[in-house]
Amino acid sequence: MMHMTEAERLKRVEDFQRNLFIVSGNAAFANSAKREADHIRLLAKAVSEPGWPLMRMYSDLGLAGNPGVAAKEKLLADGMAREHKLVRKGSGGQLLALEVLPRGLEIVRRMGLPVVELEGKGEFKHKVYVHRYLIPWAKKRKYRYWIERWFEPKQIDFVYEDQYQQLFAVEVCLSGSVEYNANAGVKCASLAGISQVVLACEDRKLIIGIKKMLSNEMMSVQNKIQVMSLGEFSCVDA
């Protein structure tokens, strides 16, 4: 991936915006385009820092309040991005993140900007929870961690090692039935080398359902599996 400083990235965005105004040859259109150009800056920010909370991006770009919301709505209306709601710790509501779609990526490539991709399998939201929640949480505690680590015969979304050299397997549960996710947890608990399993969910109903289903398992299995909200791993308040 091409390395680019923040100054170089902003210069590319400014040049792209300037060309939009010049090409039109129409003062009214140019003025309108200039008013709406904030969405291009937000698009470039979203593709260079995928998964960061929207409120933080607004602040970084000087788009707090209505200008930021207007820029986001423009990207959504034009099919350049998709908005995702992420859970946060406690009763603090939700965080919002932007996924740049193919139409938006085309604009980014025309600007000559590199596309930053989050490592790992799964859809965008799944990767965001790994990179913007689980990894910062593990780093804050100075834990070693791995993405998509293989334990025969299963690949686990996220594994971390605590201060006692115990390995914790974290499965990000965003879809699937209660039965499917509960069974996945039981399978993880049987893997050699895994001390504890964490089923990290977004939906409260899924958490309640999994806990109820696991209550039918042997106590040794129940004690090895934790079911919790992904919000417990949130380290970002913006």
Side-chain angles (χ1 to χ4, degrees):
M1 181 177 65
M2 176 178 63
H3 175 72
M4 184 176 291
T5 66
E6 181 67 6
E8 290 171 334
R9 185 183 69 80
L10 290 174
K11 180 65 166 56
R12 292 283 181 92
V13 175
E14 290 170 359
D15 289 344
F16 183 82
Q17 292 173 336
R18 190 177 300 109
N19 288 336
L20 282 179
F21 309 147
I22 294 174
V23 167
S24 71
N26 180 298
F29 178 87
N31 289 333
S32 175
K34 192 175 190 309
R35 288 194 300 271
E36 296 180 350
D38 288 340
H39 78 282
I40 296 295
R41 292 200 294 137
L42 181 59
L43 177 69
K45 186 77 169 175
V47 83
S48 66
E49 298 178 2
W52 277 116
L54 264 172
M55 294 299 289
R56 173 174 287 190
M57 291 189 180
Y58 293 162
S59 178
D60 289 348
L61 294 171
L63 296 177
N66 290 335
V69 175
K72 178 200 70 175
E73 292 299 330
K74 172 70 173 172
L75 292 177
L76 300 182
D78 289 352
M80 288 191 252
R82 178 186 295 128
E83 184 179 62
H84 292 278
K85 295 178 180 179
L86 309 171
V87 295
R88 64 193 305 178
K89 193 170 185 177
S91 57
Q94 298 173 316
L95 296 175
L96 300 177
L98 274 187
E99 176 186 5
V100 180
L101 300 177
R103 189 170 180 181
L105 290 174
E106 181 182 347
I107 298 294
V108 169
R109 292 190 177 99
R110 284 168 57 189
M111 287 190 283
L113 296 175
V115 175
V116 176
E117 304 234 0
L118 298 177
E119 179 189 351
K121 295 182 179 179
E123 297 183 352
F124 177 80
K125 196 174 189 180
H126 184 282
K127 294 179 182 179
V128 169
Y129 275 123
V130 171
H131 286 266
R132 304 309 184 201
Y133 280 51
L134 299 178
I135 290 178
W137 181 90
K139 284 183 174 179
K140 186 176 181 180
R141 290 157 178 78
K142 296 181 169 54
Y143 291 163
R144 295 177 65 200
Y145 65 86
W146 299 264
I147 301 172
E148 303 290 348
R149 182 165 176 178
W150 180 261
F151 280 83
E152 185 67 36
K154 180 174 174 54
Q155 187 163 267
I156 299 172
D157 292 336
F158 186 80
V159 176
Y160 69 88
E161 181 183 70
D162 70 5
Q163 67 270 36
Y164 305 109
Q165 285 75 56
Q166 296 183 105
L167 293 180
F168 287 68
V170 183
E171 290 283 63
V172 177
C173 306
L174 300 183
S175 60
S177 65
V178 167
E179 182 178 8
Y180 172 84
N181 287 290
N183 287 339
V186 172
K187 288 179 181 177
C188 281
S190 68
L191 297 175
I194 295 297
S195 299
Q196 285 282 316
V197 175
V198 178
L199 299 180
C201 309
E202 188 178 55
D203 181 34
R204 290 183 64 185
K205 291 182 179 179
L206 185 59
I207 293 174
I208 294 170
I210 293 174
K211 285 183 176 180
K212 184 177 180 179
M213 189 165 187
L214 289 175
S215 67
N216 298 319
E217 295 290 335
M218 294 176 60
M219 191 58 66
S220 59
V221 174
Q222 292 185 46
N223 291 338
K224 200 172 180 180
I225 304 175
Q226 302 176 55
V227 188
M228 63 177 64
S229 169
L230 277 158
E232 294 301 314
F233 293 96
S234 175
C235 297
V236 180
D237 295 324

